[in-house]
Coordinates of all heavy atoms in Angstrom, one line a residue:
V6 N 30.1 1.9 1.6 CA 28.7 2.2 2.1 C 28.6 3.6 2.7 O 27.6 4.3 2.4 CB 28.3 1.2 3.2 CG1 27.0 1.5 3.8 CG2 28.3 -0.2 2.6
H7 N 29.6 4.1 3.3 CA 29.5 5.5 3.9 C 29.4 6.5 2.8 O 28.7 7.5 3.0 CB 30.7 5.7 4.8 CG 30.8 4.8 6.0 ND1 29.9 4.9 7.0 CD2 31.6 3.9 6.3 CE1 30.1 4.0 7.9 NE2 31.2 3.3 7.5
G8 N 30.1 6.3 1.7 CA 30.0 7.2 0.6 C 28.6 7.3 0.0 O 28.1 8.3 -0.3
V9 N 28.0 6.1 -0.1 CA 26.6 6.0 -0.6 C 25.7 6.8 0.4 O 24.8 7.6 -0.1 CB 26.2 4.6 -0.8 CG1 24.7 4.5 -1.1 CG2 27.0 3.9 -1.9
L10 N 25.8 6.6 1.6 CA 25.0 7.2 2.6 C 25.1 8.7 2.6 O 24.2 9.5 2.7 CB 25.2 6.6 4.0 CG 24.8 5.2 4.2 CD1 25.2 4.7 5.6 CD2 23.3 5.0 4.0
S11 N 26.4 9.2 2.5 CA 26.6 10.6 2.5 C 26.0 11.2 1.2 O 25.4 12.3 1.2 CB 28.1 11.0 2.6 OG 28.8 10.5 1.5
N12 N 26.1 10.5 0.1 CA 25.5 11.0 -1.2 C 24.0 11.1 -1.0 O 23.4 12.1 -1.4 CB 25.9 10.0 -2.3 CG 25.4 10.5 -3.6 OD1 24.7 11.5 -3.8 ND2 25.6 9.7 -4.6
I13 N 23.4 10.1 -0.5 CA 21.9 10.1 -0.3 C 21.5 11.2 0.7 O 20.5 11.9 0.4 CB 21.5 8.7 0.1 CG1 21.6 7.7 -1.0 CG2 20.0 8.7 0.6 CD1 21.5 6.3 -0.6
A14 N 22.3 11.4 1.7 CA 21.9 12.4 2.7 C 22.0 13.8 2.0 O 21.1 14.6 2.2 CB 22.9 12.4 3.9
W15 N 23.0 14.0 1.2 CA 23.1 15.3 0.5 C 21.9 15.5 -0.5 O 21.3 16.6 -0.6 CB 24.4 15.4 -0.3 CG 24.5 16.6 -1.1 CD1 24.4 16.8 -2.4 CD2 24.8 17.9 -0.5 NE1 24.6 18.1 -2.7 CE2 24.8 18.8 -1.6 CE3 25.0 18.4 0.8 CZ2 25.0 20.2 -1.4 CZ3 25.2 19.8 0.9 CH2 25.2 20.6 -0.1
V16 N 21.6 14.5 -1.3 CA 20.4 14.6 -2.2 C 19.1 14.8 -1.5 O 18.4 15.7 -1.9 CB 20.3 13.3 -3.1 CG1 19.0 13.2 -3.8 CG2 21.5 13.1 -4.0
L17 N 18.9 14.1 -0.4 CA 17.7 14.4 0.4 C 17.6 15.8 1.0 O 16.6 16.5 1.0 CB 17.5 13.3 1.5 CG 17.1 11.9 1.0 CD1 17.1 10.9 2.2 CD2 15.8 11.9 0.3
Y18 N 18.8 16.2 1.5 CA 18.9 17.6 2.1 C 18.5 18.6 1.0 O 17.8 19.5 1.2 CB 20.3 17.8 2.6 CG 20.5 19.2 3.1 CD1 20.0 19.7 4.3 CD2 21.2 20.1 2.3 CE1 20.2 21.0 4.7 CE2 21.4 21.4 2.7 CZ 20.9 21.8 3.9 OH 21.1 23.1 4.3
E19 N 19.1 18.4 -0.2 CA 18.9 19.4 -1.2 C 17.4 19.4 -1.7 O 16.8 20.4 -1.9 CB 19.8 19.0 -2.4 CG 19.9 20.1 -3.5 CD 18.8 20.0 -4.5 OE1 18.3 18.9 -4.8 OE2 18.4 21.0 -5.1
H20 N 16.8 18.2 -1.8 CA 15.4 18.1 -2.1 C 14.5 18.8 -1.1 O 13.6 19.5 -1.5 CB 15.0 16.6 -2.3 CG 15.3 16.1 -3.7 ND1 14.3 16.0 -4.6 CD2 16.4 15.7 -4.3 CE1 14.8 15.5 -5.8 NE2 16.1 15.3 -5.5
I21 N 14.8 18.5 0.2 CA 13.9 19.1 1.2 C 14.1 20.6 1.3 O 13.1 21.3 1.4 CB 14.3 18.4 2.6 CG1 13.8 17.0 2.6 CG2 13.7 19.2 3.7 CD1 14.4 16.2 3.7
T22 N 15.3 21.1 1.2 CA 15.5 22.6 1.4 C 15.1 23.4 0.2 O 14.8 24.6 0.3 CB 17.0 22.9 1.7 OG1 17.8 22.4 0.6 CG2 17.4 22.3 3.0
T23 N 15.0 22.8 -1.0 CA 14.6 23.6 -2.2 C 13.2 23.2 -2.7 O 12.8 23.6 -3.8 CB 15.6 23.4 -3.3 OG1 15.7 22.0 -3.6 CG2 17.0 23.9 -2.9
F24 N 12.5 22.4 -2.0 CA 11.2 21.9 -2.4 C 10.2 23.1 -2.7 O 9.5 23.1 -3.7 CB 10.6 20.9 -1.5 CG 9.3 20.3 -2.0 CD1 9.2 19.4 -3.0 CD2 8.0 20.7 -1.4 CE1 8.0 18.9 -3.4 CE2 6.8 20.2 -1.8 CZ 6.8 19.3 -2.9
G25 N 10.2 24.0 -1.8 CA 9.3 25.2 -2.0 C 9.6 26.0 -3.2 O 8.6 26.4 -4.0
E26 N 10.8 26.2 -3.5 CA 11.2 26.9 -4.7 C 10.9 26.1 -6.0 O 10.4 26.6 -7.0 CB 12.7 27.2 -4.7 CG 13.1 28.2 -3.6 CD 14.6 28.3 -3.5 OE1 15.3 27.5 -4.1 OE2 15.1 29.2 -2.8
E27 N 11.0 24.8 -5.9 CA 10.7 23.9 -7.0 C 9.2 24.0 -7.3 O 8.8 24.2 -8.5 CB 11.0 22.4 -6.6 CG 10.5 21.5 -7.7 CD 10.6 20.0 -7.1 OE1 11.4 19.7 -6.2 OE2 9.8 19.2 -7.7
V28 N 8.4 24.0 -6.3 CA 6.9 24.1 -6.5 C 6.6 25.4 -7.1 O 5.8 25.5 -8.1 CB 6.1 23.9 -5.2 CG1 4.7 24.3 -5.3 CG2 6.3 22.5 -4.7
E29 N 7.2 26.5 -6.6 CA 6.9 27.8 -7.1 C 7.3 28.1 -8.5 O 6.6 28.7 -9.3 CB 7.5 28.9 -6.2 CG 7.3 30.3 -6.6 CD 8.1 31.2 -5.6 OE1 8.3 30.9 -4.4 OE2 8.5 32.3 -6.1
L30 N 8.5 27.6 -8.8 CA 9.1 27.9 -10.1 C 8.8 26.9 -11.3 O 8.9 27.3 -12.4 CB 10.6 28.0 -10.0 CG 11.1 29.1 -9.0 CD1 12.6 29.0 -8.8 CD2 10.7 30.5 -9.6
F31 N 8.6 25.6 -10.9 CA 8.5 24.6 -12.0 C 7.2 23.9 -12.1 O 6.8 23.4 -13.2 CB 9.6 23.6 -11.8 CG 11.0 24.2 -12.1 CD1 11.8 24.6 -11.1 CD2 11.4 24.4 -13.4 CE1 13.0 25.2 -11.4 CE2 12.6 25.0 -13.7 CZ 13.5 25.4 -12.7
W32 N 6.5 23.7 -11.0 CA 5.3 22.8 -11.1 C 4.2 23.4 -11.9 O 3.4 22.7 -12.5 CB 4.8 22.5 -9.7 CG 5.6 21.4 -9.0 CD1 6.8 21.1 -9.3 CD2 5.1 20.7 -7.9 NE1 7.2 20.1 -8.4 CE2 6.2 19.8 -7.5 CE3 3.9 20.6 -7.2 CZ2 6.1 18.9 -6.5 CZ3 3.8 19.7 -6.2 CH2 4.9 18.9 -5.8
S33 N 4.1 24.7 -12.0 CA 3.0 25.3 -12.8 C 3.3 25.6 -14.2 O 2.5 25.9 -15.0 CB 2.5 26.6 -12.1 OG 3.6 27.5 -12.1
R34 N 4.6 25.3 -14.6 CA 5.0 25.6 -15.9 C 5.1 24.4 -16.8 O 5.4 23.3 -16.3 CB 6.4 26.3 -15.9 CG 6.3 27.6 -15.2 CD 7.5 28.4 -15.3 NE 7.3 29.6 -14.6 CZ 8.3 30.4 -14.1 NH1 9.5 30.1 -14.4 NH2 8.0 31.5 -13.5
K35 N 4.7 24.5 -18.0 CA 4.7 23.3 -18.9 C 5.7 23.5 -20.0 O 5.4 23.3 -21.2 CB 3.3 23.1 -19.5 CG 2.2 23.0 -18.5 CD 2.2 21.6 -17.9 CE 1.0 21.3 -17.1 NZ 1.2 21.4 -15.6
T36 N 6.9 24.0 -19.7 CA 7.9 24.2 -20.7 C 8.9 23.1 -20.7 O 8.9 22.2 -19.8 CB 8.7 25.5 -20.3 OG1 9.4 25.3 -19.1 CG2 7.8 26.7 -20.2
G37 N 9.7 23.0 -21.8 CA 10.7 21.9 -21.9 C 11.7 22.0 -20.8 O 12.1 21.0 -20.3
A38 N 12.1 23.2 -20.4 CA 13.0 23.4 -19.3 C 12.5 22.8 -18.0 O 13.2 22.2 -17.2 CB 13.4 24.9 -19.2
A39 N 11.2 23.1 -17.7 CA 10.6 22.6 -16.5 C 10.6 21.1 -16.5 O 10.9 20.4 -15.5 CB 9.2 23.2 -16.3
V40 N 10.2 20.5 -17.6 CA 10.2 19.0 -17.7 C 11.6 18.4 -17.5 O 11.8 17.5 -16.8 CB 9.6 18.6 -19.1 CG1 9.8 17.1 -19.3 CG2 8.1 19.0 -19.2
L41 N 12.6 19.0 -18.2 CA 14.0 18.5 -18.0 C 14.4 18.7 -16.6 O 15.1 17.8 -16.0 CB 14.9 19.3 -18.9 CG 14.8 18.9 -20.4 CD1 15.7 19.8 -21.2 CD2 15.1 17.5 -20.6
F42 N 14.1 19.8 -15.9 CA 14.5 20.0 -14.5 C 13.8 18.9 -13.6 O 14.5 18.3 -12.8 CB 14.0 21.4 -14.1 CG 14.2 21.6 -12.6 CD1 15.4 21.9 -12.1 CD2 13.1 21.4 -11.7 CE1 15.6 22.1 -10.7 CE2 13.3 21.6 -10.3 CZ 14.5 21.9 -9.8
L43 N 12.5 18.7 -13.8 CA 11.9 17.7 -12.9 C 12.3 16.3 -13.2 O 12.5 15.5 -12.3 CB 10.3 17.9 -13.1 CG 9.8 19.2 -12.6 CD1 8.3 19.3 -13.0 CD2 9.9 19.3 -11.1
M44 N 12.6 16.0 -14.5 CA 13.1 14.6 -14.8 C 14.5 14.5 -14.1 O 14.7 13.4 -13.5 CB 13.3 14.4 -16.3 CG 12.0 14.2 -17.0 SD 12.2 14.0 -18.8 CE 13.5 12.9 -19.0
N45 N 15.3 15.5 -14.2 CA 16.7 15.4 -13.6 C 16.6 15.3 -12.1 O 17.3 14.5 -11.5 CB 17.5 16.6 -14.0 CG 18.9 16.6 -13.4 OD1 19.6 15.6 -13.6 ND2 19.2 17.6 -12.7
R46 N 15.7 16.1 -11.5 CA 15.6 16.1 -10.1 C 15.1 14.7 -9.5 O 15.7 14.2 -8.6 CB 14.6 17.2 -9.7 CG 14.5 17.4 -8.2 CD 13.8 18.7 -8.0 NE 13.5 18.9 -6.6 CZ 14.3 19.5 -5.7 NH1 15.5 19.9 -6.1 NH2 13.9 19.7 -4.4
Y47 N 14.1 14.2 -10.1 CA 13.5 13.0 -9.6 C 14.2 11.7 -10.1 O 14.2 10.7 -9.3 CB 12.0 12.9 -9.8 CG 11.4 14.0 -8.9 CD1 11.0 15.2 -9.4 CD2 11.3 13.7 -7.5 CE1 10.5 16.2 -8.5 CE2 10.8 14.7 -6.7 CZ 10.4 15.9 -7.2 OH 9.9 16.8 -6.3
L48 N 14.9 11.7 -11.2 CA 15.7 10.6 -11.6 C 17.0 10.5 -10.6 O 17.4 9.4 -10.3 CB 16.2 10.7 -13.0 CG 15.1 10.4 -14.0 CD1 15.6 10.7 -15.5 CD2 14.6 9.0 -13.9
T49 N 17.5 11.7 -10.2 CA 18.6 11.7 -9.3 C 18.1 11.1 -7.9 O 18.9 10.3 -7.3 CB 19.1 13.1 -9.0 OG1 19.5 13.7 -10.3 CG2 20.2 13.2 -8.1
L50 N 16.9 11.4 -7.5 CA 16.4 10.9 -6.2 C 16.2 9.4 -6.4 O 16.5 8.6 -5.5 CB 15.1 11.6 -5.9 CG 14.5 11.2 -4.5 CD1 15.4 11.6 -3.4 CD2 13.2 11.9 -4.3
F51 N 15.7 8.9 -7.5 CA 15.5 7.5 -7.8 C 16.8 6.8 -7.8 O 17.0 5.7 -7.2 CB 14.7 7.3 -9.1 CG 14.6 5.9 -9.5 CD1 13.7 5.0 -8.9 CD2 15.4 5.3 -10.5 CE1 13.6 3.7 -9.2 CE2 15.3 4.0 -10.9 CZ 14.4 3.2 -10.2
Y52 N 17.8 7.3 -8.4 CA 19.1 6.7 -8.5 C 19.7 6.6 -7.1 O 20.3 5.6 -6.7 CB 20.1 7.6 -9.4 CG 21.5 7.0 -9.4 CD1 21.8 5.9 -10.2 CD2 22.5 7.6 -8.7 CE1 23.1 5.4 -10.2 CE2 23.8 7.2 -8.7 CZ 24.1 6.1 -9.5 OH 25.4 5.6 -9.5
A53 N 19.6 7.7 -6.3 CA 20.1 7.6 -4.9 C 19.4 6.5 -4.1 O 20.0 5.8 -3.3 CB 19.9 9.0 -4.2
A54 N 18.1 6.4 -4.3 CA 17.3 5.3 -3.5 C 17.8 3.9 -4.0 O 17.9 3.0 -3.1 CB 15.8 5.5 -3.8
T55 N 18.0 3.7 -5.3 CA 18.5 2.4 -5.7 C 19.9 2.1 -5.2 O 20.2 1.0 -4.9 CB 18.4 2.3 -7.2 OG1 19.3 3.3 -7.8 CG2 17.0 2.4 -7.8
R56 N 20.7 3.1 -5.1 CA 22.1 2.9 -4.5 C 22.0 2.5 -3.1 O 22.7 1.7 -2.6 CB 22.9 4.2 -4.7 CG 23.3 4.5 -6.1 CD 24.0 3.4 -6.8 NE 25.3 3.1 -6.1 CZ 26.0 2.0 -6.1 NH1 25.6 1.0 -6.8 NH2 27.1 1.9 -5.5
L57 N 21.0 3.1 -2.3 CA 20.8 2.8 -0.9 C 20.4 1.3 -0.8 O 21.0 0.6 0.0 CB 19.8 3.7 -0.3 CG 19.5 3.4 1.2 CD1 20.7 3.6 2.0 CD2 18.4 4.3 1.7
V58 N 19.5 0.9 -1.6 CA 19.0 -0.5 -1.6 C 20.2 -1.5 -1.9 O 20.4 -2.5 -1.3 CB 17.8 -0.7 -2.5 CG1 17.5 -2.2 -2.7 CG2 16.6 0.0 -2.0
C59 N 21.0 -1.1 -2.9 CA 22.1 -1.9 -3.3 C 23.1 -2.0 -2.2 O 23.7 -3.1 -1.9 CB 22.8 -1.4 -4.6 SG 21.8 -1.6 -6.1
A60 N 23.4 -0.9 -1.6 CA 24.4 -0.9 -0.5 C 23.9 -1.6 0.7 O 24.7 -2.4 1.4 CB 24.8 0.6 -0.1
H61 N 22.6 -1.5 1.0 CA 22.1 -2.1 2.2 C 22.0 -3.7 2.0 O 22.3 -4.4 2.9 CB 20.7 -1.6 2.5 CG 20.0 -2.3 3.7 ND1 20.5 -2.1 4.9 CD2 18.9 -3.1 3.7 CE1 19.7 -2.8 5.8 NE2 18.8 -3.4 5.1
N62 N 21.6 -4.1 0.8 CA 21.5 -5.5 0.6 C 22.7 -6.2 0.0 O 22.7 -7.4 -0.2 CB 20.3 -5.8 -0.4 CG 19.0 -5.4 0.3 OD1 18.8 -5.5 1.5 ND2 18.1 -4.9 -0.6
N63 N 23.7 -5.4 -0.3 CA 25.0 -5.9 -0.8 C 24.7 -6.7 -2.1 O 25.3 -7.7 -2.3 CB 25.7 -6.7 0.2 CG 27.2 -6.8 -0.2 OD1 27.7 -6.0 -0.9 ND2 27.9 -7.8 0.4
V64 N 23.8 -6.2 -2.9 CA 23.5 -6.9 -4.2 C 24.2 -6.3 -5.3 O 24.4 -7.0 -6.4 CB 22.0 -6.9 -4.5 CG1 21.3 -7.7 -3.4 CG2 21.4 -5.5 -4.6
C65 N 24.7 -5.1 -5.2 CA 25.4 -4.5 -6.3 C 26.9 -4.6 -6.0 O 27.5 -3.9 -5.2 CB 25.1 -3.0 -6.5 SG 23.3 -2.8 -6.8
R66 N 27.6 -5.4 -6.8 CA 29.0 -5.6 -6.6 C 29.8 -4.6 -7.4 O 31.0 -4.4 -7.1 CB 29.4 -7.0 -6.9 CG 28.7 -8.1 -6.1 CD 29.4 -9.4 -6.1 NE 28.8 -10.5 -5.5 CZ 28.1 -10.6 -4.4 NH1 27.8 -9.6 -3.7 NH2 27.6 -11.7 -4.0
S67 N 29.2 -4.0 -8.3 CA 29.9 -3.0 -9.1 C 29.0 -1.8 -9.2 O 27.8 -1.9 -8.9 CB 30.2 -3.5 -10.5 OG 29.0 -3.8 -11.2
P68 N 29.5 -0.6 -9.6 CA 28.6 0.6 -9.7 C 27.5 0.3 -10.7 O 27.6 -0.4 -11.6 CB 29.6 1.6 -10.3 CG 30.9 1.1 -10.0 CD 30.9 -0.4 -9.9
V69 N 26.4 1.0 -10.4 CA 25.2 0.9 -11.3 C 25.5 1.5 -12.6 O 26.0 2.6 -12.7 CB 24.0 1.6 -10.6 CG1 22.8 1.6 -11.6 CG2 23.6 0.9 -9.3
V70 N 25.4 0.7 -13.7 CA 25.6 1.2 -15.0 C 24.3 1.6 -15.6 O 23.3 0.9 -15.6 CB 26.3 0.1 -15.9 CG1 26.5 0.5 -17.3 CG2 27.6 -0.4 -15.2
P71 N 24.3 2.8 -16.2 CA 23.0 3.3 -16.7 C 22.6 2.5 -17.9 O 23.4 1.9 -18.6 CB 23.4 4.7 -17.2 CG 24.7 5.1 -16.7 CD 25.3 3.8 -16.2
H72 N 21.3 2.4 -18.1 CA 20.7 1.7 -19.2 C 21.2 2.4 -20.5 O 21.3 3.6 -20.5 CB 19.2 1.7 -19.0 CG 18.5 0.8 -20.0 ND1 18.2 1.3 -21.3 CD2 18.0 -0.4 -19.9 CE1 17.6 0.3 -22.0 NE2 17.5 -0.7 -21.1
P73 N 21.4 1.6 -21.6 CA 21.8 2.2 -22.8 C 20.9 3.4 -23.3 O 21.4 4.4 -23.8 CB 21.8 1.1 -23.8 CG 22.0 -0.1 -23.0 CD 21.3 0.2 -21.7
A74 N 19.6 3.2 -23.0 CA 18.7 4.3 -23.4 C 18.9 5.6 -22.6 O 18.8 6.7 -23.2 CB 17.2 3.8 -23.3
T75 N 19.3 5.4 -21.4 CA 19.6 6.6 -20.6 C 20.9 7.3 -21.1 O 20.9 8.5 -21.1 CB 19.8 6.2 -19.1 OG1 18.7 5.5 -18.7 CG2 20.1 7.4 -18.2
R76 N 21.9 6.5 -21.4 CA 23.1 7.1 -22.0 C 22.8 7.8 -23.3 O 23.3 8.9 -23.5 CB 24.1 6.0 -22.2 CG 24.8 5.5 -20.9 CD 26.0 4.7 -21.2 NE 25.7 3.6 -22.0 CZ 25.7 2.3 -21.6 NH1 25.9 2.1 -20.3 NH2 25.4 1.3 -22.4
K77 N 21.9 7.2 -24.1 CA 21.6 7.9 -25.4 C 20.8 9.2 -25.2 O 21.1 10.2 -25.8 CB 20.8 6.9 -26.3 CG 20.6 7.4 -27.7 CD 22.0 7.4 -28.3 CE 21.9 7.6 -29.8 NZ 23.2 7.9 -30.4
L78 N 19.9 9.2 -24.2 CA 19.1 10.4 -23.9 C 20.1 11.5 -23.4 O 19.9 12.6 -23.8 CB 18.1 10.1 -22.9 CG 17.3 11.3 -22.4 CD1 16.5 11.9 -23.5 CD2 16.3 10.9 -21.2
T79 N 21.0 11.1 -22.6 CA 22.0 12.1 -22.1 C 22.8 12.7 -23.3 O 23.0 13.9 -23.3 CB 22.9 11.4 -21.1 OG1 22.1 10.9 -20.0 CG2 23.9 12.4 -20.5
Q80 N 23.2 11.8 -24.2 CA 24.0 12.3 -25.3 C 23.1 13.3 -26.2 O 23.6 14.3 -26.6 CB 24.4 11.2 -26.2 CG 25.5 10.3 -25.5 CD 25.7 9.0 -26.3 OE1 25.0 8.7 -27.2 NE2 26.8 8.3 -25.9
V81 N 21.9 13.0 -26.4 CA 21.0 13.8 -27.2 C 20.8 15.2 -26.5 O 20.9 16.2 -27.1 CB 19.6 13.1 -27.4 CG1 18.6 14.1 -28.0 CG2 19.8 11.9 -28.4
L82 N 20.6 15.1 -25.2 CA 20.3 16.4 -24.4 C 21.6 17.3 -24.4 O 21.5 18.5 -24.5 CB 19.9 16.1 -23.0 CG 18.5 15.4 -22.8 CD1 18.3 15.1 -21.4 CD2 17.5 16.3 -23.4
V83 N 22.8 16.7 -24.4 CA 24.0 17.4 -24.4 C 24.1 18.1 -25.8 O 24.6 19.3 -25.8 CB 25.2 16.5 -24.1 CG1 26.5 17.2 -24.4 CG2 25.2 16.1 -22.6
V84 N 23.7 17.5 -26.8 CA 23.8 18.0 -28.2 C 22.8 19.2 -28.4 O 23.2 20.2 -28.9 CB 23.6 16.9 -29.2 CG1 23.5 17.5 -30.6 CG2 24.8 16.0 -29.2
I85 N 21.6 19.0 -27.9 CA 20.6 20.0 -28.2 C 20.6 21.2 -27.3 O 20.0 22.2 -27.6 CB 19.1 19.4 -28.3 CG1 18.7 18.8 -26.9 CG2 19.0 18.4 -29.4 CD1 17.3 18.4 -26.9
M86 N 21.1 21.0 -26.1 CA 21.1 22.1 -25.1 C 22.4 22.9 -25.2 O 23.5 22.3 -25.2 CB 20.9 21.6 -23.7 CG 19.6 20.9 -23.5 SD 19.3 20.4 -21.9 CE 18.9 22.0 -21.2
P87 N 22.3 24.2 -25.3 CA 23.6 25.0 -25.5 C 24.4 25.1 -24.2 O 23.9 24.9 -23.2 CB 23.0 26.4 -25.9 CG 21.6 26.4 -25.4 CD 21.1 25.0 -25.4

């Protein structure tokens, strides 16, 4: 549980301290890089929140396994991005 809490604290800290830069650099742009950045940023936050719920309610007995579609998307992104 402590590992999950420290992970979530780090993710929240990073989101809070870099939010201004995120708005300035990515919110006004409609590029593929901006979309990938924002997806990665907020999927990480969502993952951290789900881990907190799992740890708090003790419902996840094993690590969260990504959905097969998520794994496939990651494989595609690794191939197309240099």
Side-chain angles (χ1 to χ4, degrees):
V6 174
H7 297 293
V9 172
L10 291 176
S11 64
N12 182 1
I13 291 166
W15 179 256
V16 169
L17 288 175
Y18 173 78
E19 193 273 333
H20 274 260
I21 291 167
T22 58
T23 60
F24 184 74
E26 294 171 350
E27 172 192 337
V28 170
E29 179 183 332
L30 297 173
F31 291 100
W32 281 21
S33 62
R34 299 188 180 161
K35 303 286 191 255
T36 64
V40 170
L41 288 175
F42 171 82
L43 292 170
M44 284 177 49
N45 180 55
R46 185 164 173 90
Y47 289 99
L48 286 174
T49 302
L50 187 60
F51 174 75
Y52 177 78
T55 58
R56 291 300 298 156
L57 177 63
V58 170
C59 286
H61 178 67
N62 295 330
N63 200 19
V64 294
C65 299
R66 300 199 190 318
S67 63
V69 174
V70 178
H72 189 275
T75 306
R76 286 194 300 257
K77 192 62 170 173
L78 176 63
T79 304
Q80 292 168 350
V81 169
L82 292 176
V83 166
V84 169
I85 63 172
M86 297 186 74

